[in-house]
Amino acid sequence: MSQVSTLPERSSATRDVTTRDVSRKTFSLRPRGFAVFLRRRLGTLSIAAAVALVSLATMRAGSARVGTGPFDLRDMLLALLRVDHPATLAVVLAVTLVVCGFAEGAFGTRRLLVTFFGGGIVVGAIGLAVGAFEARVIPAIPLNDMPVSGAPPIAGLLTVAMAASCFASPLWRRRIRLGSVVFALTLFLYAASASDMYTLIALPVGAGVGLLLGGSSAAGVLRSSLREKRVLLASLTAIIAVGPVVATLWGSGAGLLSVYGWLSYDPLATVNDVVCAIGSDAAPCPAPVNDYAELQPWAGWIAVLPQLVLLIAAWGILRGRRGALHLAVVVNVLTFVAMVALVTVSEIDTLEQLADARAAFAVVDAWQTVLSMVVGALLPLAAAVILLRFRSAAQIPSACAVRRRFVTTVAAAAIIASALALVGILAFSGGFRPWPDLSTLIASLPLRLVPPSLLPAEALAFVPVTGAAQAAWYLPPLFFWIAVVVATVQFITGSRAEAGTPDRERAQTLLAAGSGDTLGHMALWEGNSYWFSPDVQAAVAYRVRGGFAVTLGGPFGQDHDAETVSRDFVDFCERQGWSPVFYSVDEADRTRLEPLGWPRLQVAEEAFLDPTTWTPAGKKRQDVRTATNRAEREGVTAEWTRWSALSFLDRSQIRDISEAWVADKTIPEMGFTLGSTEQIDDTSVRLLLARDAHGRIVAFTSWIPIHRDGAVAGYALDVMRRRDEAMNGVMEFLIGRAVEQLRADGMTVMSLSGSPLARHASPEDRTSLDRGLDVLSALLEPAYGFRSLANFKKKFQPEFSPLWMVYPDATQLPAIAIALIRCYIPGLTLRQAAQLGGALRRAREGSAA
């Protein structure tokens, strides 16, 4: 079945019409002259030049501040243009060109200059006022390093980005604002320098400036596709992973999350003398062979390894791996437990030592450290809760064998590391003080797996004081976490790490060698399970929801039409305790299912065209001819290609179009028989793009293959999405071009796919169930436009064929309906379903009004 954009259509200037098959990357953007670029980005270049000149002059003169007072206008202006280090200057200039260039294109040169300079000075003034408040009111608990001048260039750029978001599309407005908020909060919480406080202040100031300049005030959280949700969850996980590194390398020690800057802190450096002084009958502590200051980086490297696990998990979440999301939850929960243990076990004098160890300035208040550790403990807990709340975005389960191998590897690494620690400490027990007895040693073995940075000093019953003892101390946790990192990589990136990969490969071979209905290729999508006939070459794709095995179309393979296939699948389901439901089966499959004696219900209607005979001639196809003629006048081009042949820019445009379409919907993006951009990254799927005169993609369609007798006999329309500014009739134009392309390729079958809840039955033929589906169709219409989709397909005068649901018992229909909803919207809870129903009713009332 297909999804179509129902956004309003507008015209745009374009170029000559051609249809071409693209087997390599094409770049059709027209180059613009350098002089034109300079004229359109004068503000950007002026700001970049000013930052470069002031920064170079300041670095050469060695001056850090030139003003005469704390709120000196000249001082704040110079701070807005000054960078103190050459490497930082290069990064700031690159960011300036990107951010200011985008903003200048969004709202013009004058607004850019007003936002950067005016907004930057406002940010600087507010920051100085906040700094004065902190110094006078809460001097014992500073939240950041004390500001001494105005806002830095990065704060001005954030102000520009937030203001520009008010002039961006809804999708990019969300991306810019979320990205800016995450960036500013990360710096403020982990690093907490004076500059980082300014970046946080720049967020509301930039949004306010954007509104004052005439931007949009829309600020709601837009609905995201599954991919966009995974991007956000992966970003959150990556930030949690990178934050401690930021706090360690660039932190001032005053931030609420500066506790994570103690990655390189080694408790041995502060407790060695104390532990050695404990009453012991052993000989006095010998002089350490190695300086503990030299050993502290080892503690830092070991502490980085769990963060590397989180980074790898973030990449897995981006790919949709459910196991990666669960792994990130586990790591965050373990971090939370470790931080709680630090707060619970540590004493006040130890916290003061910890604060002194990390602070760039005098910080002696242990209660500030306690506050930092409490906030630091709540952060991973909050991240774990968020990941679990939106876990449905990661739908790809891990293979059982891969999960077992991961658990086995981690368990084996823990046993080996513990054994190394036990043997090493016993072998070099003379190098530890106090001398460890066997019971104390065994009781402390679990601590040997914990990164040294997370060990509270009070938990250390003995410490190493010789080189050999120190090796026995540091090597076990280093070995263990390296093994965990390697196991994580194998768990997420293995060639068969995803559950069902062998079955999917077998199903793909079976489909390619045989036949299937128009939904046959959808059987290969993620989330399906497979039953293979033991007697003939046939298979069925299905999903189990609430005790129902819901099939995705009918059987496929060389013997898909064998009489025993359906009966054998029913027997298989009964042995598993499931009730089979044959969903979206065509007329041929419905006829083969008649011996079961089960009731049936029409759930959709599929539209077919014959590419060998179809033409746009005739009065009823006037809309198709009009769209084609308009495309010829305005220059819209049709490009027949594949995802792998597209450039990065083209792929980004397709994703943007899709995300904007999803954001406009009342209900979440659906799956199962409804495709999305998740499935177009497939060498078997073809794309038909519409480009305007500047080479920009304004609409796209995707086409999945239809297999007949071991060959591709045609294609079925899957996804249709477009920009709201695309010309009227762009979809009619694309489908007309698709017919011509399939005819040229010798294809004999073309499907416009199914229109859910659509039927051509006369009123007297409608049962009470049919009328109930009509009500559901009307309810979904404002959100998804299923009726509009069916009416759109009528323009091509296709042949309609019903798609059926064949089910065992009419009394099970309410439960089957819930199972189908869970197939289309995985992870939907009862509360979400109630909210969804309310949103649909409001949308219907709004459309009726």
Side-chain angles (χ1 to χ4, degrees), residues 383-519:
V385 171
I386 292 173
L387 288 171
L388 288 175
R389 168 63 179 79
F390 296 101
R391 63 188 180 276
S392 60
Q395 299 182 354
I396 304 175
S398 300
C400 294
V402 176
R403 292 200 302 269
R404 287 195 298 268
R405 184 173 63 183
F406 174 77
V407 174
T408 302
T409 302
V410 173
I415 294 173
I416 294 174
S418 300
L420 286 175
L422 178 63
V423 173
I425 294 174
L426 289 176
F428 304 104
S429 58
F432 292 88
R433 292 296 184 273
W435 195 294
D437 57 58
L438 185 60
S439 60
T440 301
L441 175 57
I442 294 177
S444 65
L445 278 181
L447 297 180
R448 302 283 69 80
L449 304 180
V450 179
S453 300
L454 296 179
L455 286 174
E458 289 77 11
L460 302 181
F462 54 90
V463 296
V465 294
T466 64
Q470 290 161 9
W473 183 271
Y474 288 104
L475 287 179
L478 179 64
F479 166 80
F480 172 72
W481 283 104
I482 288 177
V484 172
V485 170
V486 173
T488 301
V489 172
Q490 294 176 342
F491 175 58
I492 293 177
T493 65
S495 60
R496 295 203 169 189
E498 299 175 4
T501 298
D503 285 347
R504 189 179 303 110
E505 293 174 351
R506 181 181 174 187
Q508 184 175 13
T509 302
L510 198 62
L511 179 62
S515 299
D517 53 29
T518 53
L519 302 182

Side-chain angles (χ1 to χ4, degrees), residues 30 486 664:
R30 291 184 176 179
V486 173
D664 185 61

Side-chain angles (χ1 to χ4, degrees), residues 666-805:
T666 308
I667 63 178
E669 187 177 31
M670 302 174 104
F672 197 37
T673 64
L674 299 174
S676 67
T677 52
E678 293 285 311
Q679 292 83 30
I680 63 178
D681 187 7
D682 183 343
T683 56
S684 300
V685 176
R686 308 299 294 270
L687 297 176
L688 189 58
L689 315 177
R691 295 182 181 270
D692 64 12
H694 304 293
R696 189 179 66 145
I697 298 174
V698 295
F700 73 93
T701 57
S702 68
W703 301 80
I704 59 176
I706 300 174
H707 293 271
R708 294 286 187 271
D709 301 325
V712 176
Y715 283 87
L717 178 63
D718 185 23
V719 180
M720 295 189 292
R721 292 180 184 173
R722 57 187 295 282
R723 297 185 189 273
D724 57 351
E725 66 268 25
M727 74 164 205
N728 291 333
V730 66
M731 288 302 176
E732 289 87 340
F733 160 71
L734 282 179
I735 292 178
R737 286 290 180 259
V739 175
E740 297 175 1
Q741 185 66 50
L742 294 184
R743 183 189 303 125
D745 293 341
M747 301 295 173
T748 58
V749 181
M750 179 177 177
S751 170
L752 299 184
S753 198
S755 300
L757 306 178
R759 61 185 62 79
H760 276 82
S762 59
E764 58 270 14
D765 295 332
R766 294 182 185 273
T767 65
S768 59
L769 284 177
D770 292 329
R771 288 191 290 272
L773 290 179
D774 289 341
V775 173
L776 179 61
S777 175
L779 185 64
L780 290 173
E781 179 61 24
Y784 245 80
F786 288 144
R787 291 183 174 182
S788 301
L789 175 61
N791 292 331
F792 167 80
K793 294 175 181 180
K794 291 178 183 178
K795 297 180 180 181
F796 302 91
Q797 293 299 296
E799 294 183 2
F800 288 99
S801 178
L803 293 176
W804 302 91
M805 180 178 72

Side-chain angles (χ1 to χ4, degrees), residues 54 64-82 116-129 147-153 155-156 198:
V54 172
R65 190 168 183 263
V66 187
T68 59
F71 288 92
D72 182 74
L73 183 60
R74 181 188 176 196
D75 194 16
M76 287 191 288
L77 183 59
L78 289 176
L80 193 61
L81 299 172
R82 185 177 63 241
F116 183 82
F117 290 103
I121 291 175
V122 171
V123 170
I126 296 176
L128 291 173
V148 295
S149 61
Y198 286 120

